[in-house]
């Protein structure tokens, strides 16, 4: 008597990942569609020899849509959307491995792997001159105002010029990298009257100015490690006559008269002369004809 026995495989094993936790460091400027985690590092096995179905989800709000797998049976993770270090610096992904499709009504065994993606800031931005203001709440663009200062005609300033709204200063907005910045004057420096300190950005005079014409300097801030990363700011230097005397009021005390019930913006009159508006005047000996 010959008896044939067929053993039916029961689905009683969970899929297994070789590594249940993985960490990858990804540069901010990684190209879209680049592989983040290779298939061989994520493929699960099943002792029941079932086909494995994968699903990837992001657990941190704001990181959805950046990472995806190549297919329901291919767990290779790739970059689906360009990264931005200012948006997030870390993402946690959950990769599920099932021995039945998600829509299957049959009992399903599942394994889970946790993938941590750490975003590394890349050198993607040119220097910013400070102070600056973001453009319509866009933290990628910071607009600085022109700098301005004055020099006295026919007089040599020995100290760095005082500028408004502050001294020339630029930073690398890729702040975790913080590359060194160097400064140079690239335009508007007629007769080489001014110099800029390459390290500090301080502007000094090389010679006196004999013409009242203003200067409109163009100062460039450049990353030392990459001359293609630069920004240019304008610096207006006005040439003025030296002020030797402070202005002063012509009188030490002024007296005026107002009447009850006057409308807003009505004149205040001189005390004792209700027909003449009160005028407060100052003079400056530096400008005797004004």
């Amino acid at each position: 008597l010959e008896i044939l026995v067929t053993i039916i495989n029961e689905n009683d094993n969970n899929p297994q990942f070789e590594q249940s936790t993985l960490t990858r460091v990804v540069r901010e400027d990684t190209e879209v569609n680049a592989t983040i985690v290779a298939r061989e590092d994520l493929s699960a096995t099943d002792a029941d020899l079932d086909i494995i179905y994968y699903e990837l989800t992001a657990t941190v709000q704001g990181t959805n849509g950046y990472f995806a797998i190549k297919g329901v049976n291919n767990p290779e993770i790739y970059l689906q959307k360009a990264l931005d270090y200012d948006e997030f610096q870390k993402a946690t992904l959950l990769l599920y491995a099932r021995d039945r499709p998600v829509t299957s009504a049959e009992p399903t065994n599942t394994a889970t792997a946790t993938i941590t993606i750490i975003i590394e800031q890349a050198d993607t931005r040119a220097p910013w001159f400070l102070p600056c203001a973001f453009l319509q709440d866009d933290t990628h663009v910071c607009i600085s105002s022109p700098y301005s200062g004055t020099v006295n005609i026919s007089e040599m300033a020995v100290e760095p010029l005082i500028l408004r709204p502050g001294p020339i200063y630029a930073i690398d907005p890729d702040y975790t990298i913080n590359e060194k910045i160097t400064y140079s004057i690239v335009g508007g420096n007629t007769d080489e009257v001014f110099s800029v300190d390459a390290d500090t950005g301080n502007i000094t005079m090389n010679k006196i100015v004999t013409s009242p014409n203003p200067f409109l300097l163009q100062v460039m801030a450049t990353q030392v490690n990459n001359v293609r990363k630069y920004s240019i700011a304008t610096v207006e230097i006005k040439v003025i006559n030296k002020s030797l005397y402070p202005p002063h009021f012509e009188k030490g005390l002024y007296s005026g008269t107002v009447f009850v019930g006057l409308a807003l913006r009505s004149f205040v009159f001189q005390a004792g002369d209700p027909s003449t508006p009160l005028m407060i005047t100052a003079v400056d000996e530096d400008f005797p004809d004004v």
Side-chain angles (χ1 to χ4, degrees), residues 129-178:
F129 281 97
L130 299 182
C132 65
F134 290 120
L135 181 63
Q136 298 179 348
D137 298 325
D138 184 355
T139 58
H140 299 83
V141 180
C142 201
I143 306 299
S144 62
S145 300
Y147 296 91
S148 63
T150 60
V151 294
N152 295 321
I153 195 168
S154 301
E155 182 175 309
M156 184 74 172
V158 295
E159 297 293 330
L161 303 187
I162 297 176
L163 303 178
R164 294 178 299 275
I168 290 177
Y169 180 59
I171 63 167
D172 178 4
D174 301 310
Y175 52 89
T176 63
I177 301 173
N178 195 27

Side-chain angles (χ1 to χ4, degrees), residues 119-133:
I119 312 302
E120 182 179 69
Q121 191 171 37
D123 188 11
T124 59
R125 302 178 185 177
W128 288 349
F129 281 97
L130 299 182
C132 65

